[in-house]
Amino acid sequence: MPLILVTSSPRVAPGLLSHQAWQALRSGPVLTGSAAHPQLPYLAEAGVEVEVVEPDPRGLAARAVGETVVWLAEDDEGFMRAVGHAAVALEEPPLIEVVPGSYDLPGARVLDLVAVMDRLRTECPWDRKQTHESLVPYLLEEAYEVLETIEQGDYPALREELGDLLLQVVFHARVAEDFDMDDVAAGIVEKLVRRHPHVFGSVRAESADEVNDNWEAIKAAERASKGRESVLEGVPMGQPALSLAAQLLRRAGRAGAPEALSAGVGQGVARELFDLVRRAGDAGIDAEAELRAAARAYRDRVHSWETGTDRL
């Protein structure tokens, strides 16, 4: 006789189980090891009786030899592994079948992060006192750490750094009083769908350049609908100066601004730097990335000089 293990994801609303799981839950006595299992109220409502018992791997495996037994699992991988070992040790082991009642969809673990952040915001004195303003240094720091791992090609570390950056997004969404993480996600989903009509609509775009042209046209229409006419609207002025100058030049160039506007901007070194950024952009070079690469090379040379391996 089979021992049926019905599993479910804590990230899926209780009671939303697969058809196969409902069939399994009605195929024999249902047991579970937790009186607080989130599925219990919904199973009771559906007329499925569940007996709460002391978890006993050997006893469960032995009982399944003579009858079909259903075990309602709850994040107890160790127990299920013990049941498997106990079954194998029997002279006539029962057939063990795992039936997924629900399972995680891609992105489901973000729900865990939202739940942890809710608890931290409520129970941790440090997290509770933070504001959007106080969190700004951490947001910038984590973003730069992501950038550094990419520049170094340290992709094993990238996952952790992206997690640290994601925490900042969820933290800000939790601090906010007039929106939450769902609103943040809904907003970016709506924007992505709207700006990709070649994917979600009937517009055709055969190349990356066509996609980019559509994107800029849609952004221009969005600005106009909001009463924002300037092509420079939305450029973050707090970003590093080289990337700021490059983005301003790029935006203005796309709008057809005359090149003469960039001549004679600033004085002295500022004028020279701005002109270098413009020339780099004309050549398809990212001035910010180039200077960062040079800075890293200088750092490496200083380290070598300090250790005596580079005496110039």
Side-chain angles (χ1 to χ4, degrees):
M1 303 298 287
L3 169 58
I4 304 175
L5 305 176
V6 176
T7 63
S8 59
S9 169
R11 300 164 199 90
V12 176
L16 298 180
L17 299 173
S18 66
H19 177 67
Q20 185 183 14
W22 283 113
Q23 285 184 314
L25 289 164
R26 292 188 170 96
S27 64
V30 182
L31 312 177
T32 190
S34 171
H37 197 295
Q39 300 290 351
L40 293 184
Y42 301 91
L43 297 185
E45 185 178 346
V48 177
E49 294 185 8
V50 181
E51 181 183 359
V52 180
V53 299
E54 187 70 26
D56 178 9
R58 292 183 181 180
L60 185 61
R63 181 173 176 178
V65 173
E67 64 176 328
T68 297
V69 180
V70 182
W71 180 261
L72 185 60
E74 184 188 25
D75 194 24
D76 46 6
E77 183 178 341
F79 173 75
M80 290 191 287
R81 190 180 300 112
V83 170
H85 291 317
V88 171
L90 294 174
E91 186 175 341
E92 295 183 12
L95 173 67
I96 298 180
E97 179 183 359
V98 178
V99 175
S102 59
Y103 53 89
D104 291 344
L105 294 174
R109 289 286 180 170
V110 176
L111 297 175
D112 290 347
L113 177 56
V114 172
V116 167
M117 191 66 251
D118 282 344
R119 185 168 179 180
L120 291 176
R121 185 67 174 169
T122 303
E123 301 179 21
C124 174
W126 187 90
D127 290 274
R128 193 165 52 238
K129 69 178 289 188
Q130 299 310 308
T131 65
H132 292 302
E133 292 74 19
S134 70
L135 290 172
V136 166
Y138 304 105
L139 177 63
L140 295 175
E141 178 182 344
E142 301 301 350
Y144 279 123
E145 288 184 2
V146 169
L147 174 60
E148 185 174 6
T149 58
I150 293 174
E151 290 178 340
Q152 294 176 344
D154 189 1
Y155 296 117
L158 181 58
R159 181 179 69 173
E160 179 180 352
E161 297 302 341
L162 286 172
D164 292 342
L165 182 58
L166 178 59
L167 169 60
Q168 297 304 310
V169 175
V170 175
F171 207 153
H172 277 279
R174 181 62 179 80
V175 169
E177 297 181 356
D178 54 350
F179 63 85
D180 58 20
M181 190 61 196
D182 285 329
D183 296 319
V184 172
I188 190 59
V189 167
E190 180 183 344
K191 180 183 293 186
L192 288 173
V193 171
R194 185 174 65 249
R195 293 187 181 179
H196 288 80
H198 56 288
V199 175
F200 301 101
S202 58
V203 174
R204 294 183 61 85
E206 303 296 337
S207 68
D209 287 339
E210 289 181 274
V211 171
N212 190 63
D213 290 342
N214 287 339
W215 180 281
E216 293 301 327
I218 294 169
K219 284 178 63 177
E222 291 172 354
R223 286 194 300 270
S225 68
K226 296 177 181 178
R228 301 171 179 175
E229 299 296 336
S230 175
V231 68
L232 302 182
E233 186 73 35
V235 174
M237 299 300 290
Q239 63 183 300
L242 289 182
S243 57
L244 170 61
Q247 188 174 5
L248 290 171
L249 286 164
R250 188 166 56 250
R251 286 275 197 98
R254 287 173 181 167
E259 189 173 319
L261 291 177
S262 65
V265 173
Q267 297 180 349
V269 173
R271 178 180 299 185
E272 295 177 24
L273 287 172
F274 198 87
D275 186 57
L276 279 174
V277 173
R278 180 186 59 78
R279 287 159 47 194
D282 292 343
I285 297 172
D286 184 337
E288 178 76 21
E290 291 295 311
L291 184 57
R292 287 180 60 83
R296 289 197 304 275
Y298 177 71
R299 176 202 60 189
D300 293 342
R301 293 201 67 183
V302 170
H303 287 170
S304 296
W305 171 75
E306 289 176 325
T307 58
T309 56
D310 186 348
R311 300 182 181 279
L312 305 180

